[in-house]
């Protein structure tokens, strides 16, 4: 149940990111792209790895890092080193873009927004293929 709801939210956030990007709302689109990926990660934890809400709530204060790292570890077991490193690099870049767009006093431009879009879609495509 949780996984399907999160997969739907993930897709909604990716679509919202696209709409925001089309309307030159660059900073909030990055936020949506990141959370679309994060929700996809959590859906995989629920669905593929059969985590319960209680098990994930143990990591509530570090859930982003925990989810990212858990998936990276599992990718390392299931795929090539190249694929697991690519995931780690891309999710790190997307998270940094999200932190910059949400918290830093800098302008977020088209290039950063389209980079976030590319990263989010690339990550989700690869994760969907593997899990």
């Amino acid at each position: 149940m949780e996984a399907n709801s999160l997969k739907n939210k993930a897709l909604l956030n990716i679509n919202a990111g696209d709409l925001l990007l089309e309307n030159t709302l660059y900073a909030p689109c990055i936020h949506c792209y990141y959370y679309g990926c994060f929700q996809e990660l959590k859906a995989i934890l629920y669905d593929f790895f059969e985590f319960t809400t209680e098990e994930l709530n143990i990591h509530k204060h570090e859930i982003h890092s925990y989810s990212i790292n858990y998936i990276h570890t599992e990718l390392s077991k299931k795929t090539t080193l190249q694929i697991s490193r690519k995931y780690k690099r891309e999710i790190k870049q997307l998270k940094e873009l999200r932190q910059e767009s949400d918290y830093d006093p800098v302008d977020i431009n088209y290039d950063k927004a389209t980079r976030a879009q590319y990263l989010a879609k690339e990550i989700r495509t690869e994760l969907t293929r593997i899990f």
Side-chain angles (χ1 to χ4, degrees):
M1 176 69 91
E2 291 95 347
N4 286 334
S5 177
L6 283 170
K7 282 190 170 292
N8 291 337
K9 287 180 181 182
L11 183 57
L12 287 172
N13 265 314
I14 296 298
N15 291 340
D18 289 344
L19 287 171
L20 291 165
L21 179 60
E22 288 170 18
N23 288 285
T24 67
L25 299 166
Y26 300 134
C29 85
I30 292 173
H31 179 92
C32 288
Y33 289 133
Y34 173 79
Y35 276 96
C37 278
F38 175 66
Q39 289 159 332
E40 189 75 31
L41 293 178
K42 284 187 73 177
I44 291 167
L45 293 177
Y46 283 122
D47 191 37
F48 193 84
F49 295 105
E50 300 179 347
F51 273 75
T52 64
T53 302
E54 294 77 25
E55 288 171 324
L56 284 181
N57 280 342
I58 292 169
H59 306 282
K60 193 173 194 169
H61 297 293
E62 56 181 294
I63 192 64
H64 291 255
S65 295
Y66 178 81
S67 300
I68 289 167
N69 291 331
Y70 189 93
I71 297 296
H72 179 251
T73 299
E74 294 303 318
L75 277 172
S76 297
K77 295 174 188 175
K78 294 181 69 58
T79 66
T80 65
L81 182 60
Q82 181 182 11
I83 290 171
S84 66
R85 283 183 176 168
K86 180 179 184 245
Y87 159 79
K88 188 72 168 187
R89 181 178 60 252
E90 289 180 343
I91 197 76
K92 180 181 181 223
Q93 289 174 16
L94 183 58
K95 187 176 181 184
E96 288 171 353
L97 282 167
R98 198 272 306 175
Q99 289 172 327
E100 183 180 346
S101 72
D102 283 356
Y103 305 120
D104 293 346
V106 297
D107 288 330
I108 302 300
N109 59 25
Y110 176 81
D111 291 341
K112 289 180 181 181
T114 55
R115 179 69 180 155
Q117 179 189 45
Y118 169 80
L119 291 168
K121 291 183 178 187
E122 189 73 13
I123 292 164
R124 288 188 71 241
T125 298
E126 193 70 8
L127 291 176
T128 301
R129 185 182 68 77
I130 296 166
F131 298 108

